Amino acid sequence: MPGLLLTVNAVVTCSHAGKATPLPPTSRLSVMGMAVVTLAHSYTIAGCGFPAASSGSPPCVSGKLTIGAARVTSMGLPVGIVPATSTCVPNATPLILTPGQQRVNAI
């Protein structure tokens, strides 16, 4: 499925409004001067609002894209696109992705 390329400038949060930051932040491919996120990148999540006290489950601490572009790669790895399939650990909720650029699409 086609979608906008996901860059490090994209706004990414967990389902509980925690800010997600991609690690490692470098990639050989860039769009408008911003590195593109690949499936090798993981996200660290800070400020997850998951109510751990009421459910007994800890808040989101990391996230990962699980499915990216089928035909566009960077260093042999599929690039991240919006929409993409993703998951947070340890709650298995999806990441909320908002693209940081509106020019480049991938399939």
Side-chain angles (χ1 to χ4, degrees), residues 3 34 70 95:
M34 297 172 287
L95 290 169

Side-chain angles (χ1 to χ4, degrees), residues 8-20:
V8 294
N9 196 37
V11 177
V12 180
T13 61
C14 71
S15 297
H16 315 105
K19 182 178 174 14

Side-chain angles (χ1 to χ4, degrees), residues 43-64:
Y43 285 86
T44 57
I45 300 172
C48 176
F50 190 71
S54 63
S55 68
S57 182
C60 301
V61 293
S62 67
K64 187 129 179 89

Side-chain angles (χ1 to χ4, degrees), residues 63-106:
K64 187 129 179 89
L65 299 175
T66 55
I67 297 177
R71 295 185 181 180
V72 180
T73 62
S74 175
M75 298 175 59
L77 298 164
V79 296
I81 57 172
V82 177
T85 305
S86 60
T87 186
C88 291
V89 175
N91 298 319
T93 57
L95 290 169
I96 309 300
L97 308 168
T98 305
Q101 58 85 30
Q102 300 288 324
R103 291 188 177 185
V104 181
N105 287 305

Side-chain angles (χ1 to χ4, degrees), residues 8 21-29 34-37 41-42:
V8 294
T21 306
L23 296 173
T26 60
S27 177
R28 285 192 178 189
L29 178 63
M34 297 172 287
V36 172
V37 174
H41 289 83
S42 61

